[in-house]
Amino acid sequence: MPYWYYEKKELKDTPSFHDGIDFETESRYRKEGARFIIDTGTKMDLGYNTMATGVVYFHRFYMYHSFKTFPRYVTACCCLFLAGKVEETPKKCKDIIKIASELLSKNKFQTFGDDPKEEVMTLERILLQTIKFDLQIEHPYSFLLKYAKCLKGDKAKLEKMLQMAWTFVNDSLCTTLSLQWEPEVIAVALMYLAGKLSKFEVVDWAGRQPNHLRWWDMFVEGVTMDLLEVTGAKLKTDLKSQTDGPGLPPTSVDVVPSQYSYPPGVTSYTNSSFSAQPFPQNVPLQSTSNSSSYPPSYPPSYPPAQANSQYLPPSKSHHPQPQQPPSSQFYPASQSSFSSSYQPQ
């Protein structure tokens, strides 16, 4: 399968960077695209798994393509459209575009071109080729619930810590954390950060073995305290860099633990109901698996695209690239916004 985790230097050596977009600007574009997916998904009553899957597709896509070539809001709609199918919460393309037209300014919506639906549907082919049809995504949410079931201690404090960690996961979607660490590591790191802030110390846990020095040793091997500290610091740094400035709300990591209240949730830098959303109260603290599943033949409507090779990502996969003749049938005509003439704003 494709390998989707990158070193820091790789995250700064992207197609957008080579197109003249500096790292800070690219981070802002990623944040705006992710927030747009979340806002659109929330307005359409989509679940957090669907929105998170769309955001991960979005981040992976721009590791192979430039923001100058593909407008971020068109890509965001495409990612949410595909994520709805994968997570079995499908929405019509025209409905997603309608919400986009309500959320975006006139200038930003102009990036969708004369036929927004055609733009999104065309880009879906490119998106599928870029992510190499690696559609199923695991998120830290299910691991938070699984790990929390094994922890022992005051139930109220445990729930408070878990709710805080859940919020941190929501916040992390607007960063590149999902491109650096597996969901299990993110879950442990953010639970560790939440435990420090909420002053919930784990001293015992179910299934403990003599060789388990820390509670996470039974779930993820090789995770050190230094790694957790670095990951937590990375999240805090990313969030602060996106919120510092006049008139901007504080990040959730800046809130004193005693100020947390659920519901309605903590103040988040996105200032949206999704980021402040606590974990579902009716879900018991037990192991849960990713609810998304699809038969091996999925998606039946997508034969292997005869894609133009300029849209195929460099080979980072163990699978060879398909050797097929180029075809223009999946790509927009000259009126498309997918061109080097597009200038992001």
Side-chain angles (χ1 to χ4, degrees):
M1 296 300 294
Y3 187 75
W4 295 113
Y5 302 104
Y6 302 87
E7 301 291 338
K8 288 183 179 180
K9 62 180 181 180
E10 294 178 295
L11 292 173
K12 294 184 177 181
D13 188 32
T14 61
S16 295
F17 176 78
H18 290 283
D19 247 352
I21 299 176
D22 59 76
F23 178 72
E24 289 72 21
T25 302
E26 181 177 356
S27 297
R28 176 170 64 84
Y29 290 164
R30 286 182 180 274
K31 179 196 69 174
E32 290 173 350
R35 289 179 61 172
F36 175 72
I37 291 173
I38 292 169
D39 290 343
T40 304
T42 300
K43 206 170 180 64
M44 302 186 78
D45 295 321
L46 291 172
Y48 52 83
N49 263 342
T50 300
M51 291 183 277
T53 295
V55 172
V56 173
Y57 289 163
F58 182 84
H59 286 309
R60 292 180 177 181
F61 181 84
Y62 283 108
M63 290 305 296
Y64 292 111
H65 300 292
S66 169
F67 280 98
K68 276 192 176 181
T69 306
F70 295 94
R72 58 192 177 281
Y73 296 112
V74 180
T75 304
C77 284
C78 180
C79 291
L80 187 61
F81 180 54
L82 179 60
K85 298 177 184 179
V86 174
E87 298 291 347
E88 300 180 357
T89 56
K91 295 293 182 181
K92 293 181 179 179
C93 184
K94 65 177 183 179
D95 293 335
I96 295 177
I97 292 172
K98 181 181 177 182
I99 298 298
S101 66
E102 296 172 359
L103 294 176
L104 296 174
S105 65
K106 185 177 180 180
N107 286 341
K108 290 179 178 178
F109 191 70
Q110 285 179 347
T111 60
F112 284 77
D114 296 332
D115 190 347
K117 182 179 178 181
E118 179 65 21
E119 293 289 319
V120 174
M121 297 293 287
T122 299
L123 182 56
E124 185 181 30
R125 297 284 185 180
I126 304 173
L127 173 62
L128 284 164
Q129 281 288 319
T130 300
I131 63 177
K132 304 180 183 181
F133 291 85
D134 185 11
L135 300 172
Q136 199 167 24
I137 308 290
E138 286 190 300
H139 301 293
Y141 299 111
S142 59
F143 295 104
L144 289 181
L145 299 176
K146 175 183 177 180
Y147 300 164
K149 179 192 175 185
C150 300
L151 303 184
K152 296 181 180 180
D154 184 273
K155 184 178 179 181
K157 289 184 178 181
L158 173 59
E159 289 189 351
K160 181 178 179 179
M161 181 272 288
L162 183 57
Q163 289 170 333
M164 193 183 294
W166 189 278
T167 302
F168 290 160
V169 173
N170 293 341
D171 287 347
S172 73
L173 292 175
C174 291
T175 73
T176 56
L177 212 60
S178 64
L179 294 177
Q180 298 177 70
W181 304 105
E182 293 84 351
E184 300 94 325
V185 177
I186 295 175
V188 168
L190 299 186
M191 286 177 70
Y192 172 75
L193 176 62
K196 288 184 64 176
L197 292 177
S198 63
K199 295 181 171 57
F200 176 74
E201 183 179 0
V202 180
V203 294
D204 196 14
W205 55 92
R208 184 173 187 173
Q209 299 296 325
N211 61 322
H212 294 158
L213 301 179
R214 306 286 183 178
W215 62 267
W216 57 80
D217 290 337
M218 63 185 293
F219 302 116
V220 185
E221 294 182 359
V223 175
T224 64
M225 192 80 72
D226 289 341
L227 176 60
L228 299 185
E229 294 281 1
V230 168
T231 305
K234 165 68 176 172
L235 175 64
K236 290 192 286 186
T237 301
D238 286 349
L239 296 183
K240 287 179 70 65
S241 66
Q242 295 169 1
T243 56
D244 286 345
L248 293 172
T251 70
S252 55
V253 294
D254 288 329
V255 180
V256 178
S258 61
Q259 292 178 303
Y260 278 81
S261 59
Y262 305 91
V266 302
T267 300
S268 165
Y269 78 96
T270 61
N271 202 25
S272 68
S273 58
F274 177 81
S275 247
Q277 173 190 357
F279 74 95
Q281 298 296 323
N282 60 342
V283 176
L285 298 182
Q286 60 183 11
S287 177
T288 58
S289 60
N290 193 329
S291 60
S292 64
S293 60
Y294 50 85
S297 59
Y298 181 90
S301 59
Y302 295 120
Q306 295 176 329
N308 189 319
S309 60
Q310 68 172 310
Y311 293 122
L312 290 175
S315 180
K316 287 200 174 187
S317 168
H318 297 298
H319 303 292
Q321 295 292 345
Q323 300 297 320
Q324 295 176 325
S327 172
S328 61
Q329 70 179 97
F330 298 128
Y331 298 94
S334 59
Q335 294 181 345
S336 168
S337 61
F338 303 149
S339 69
S340 58
S341 61
Y342 166 69
Q343 295 295 325
Q345 299 177 353

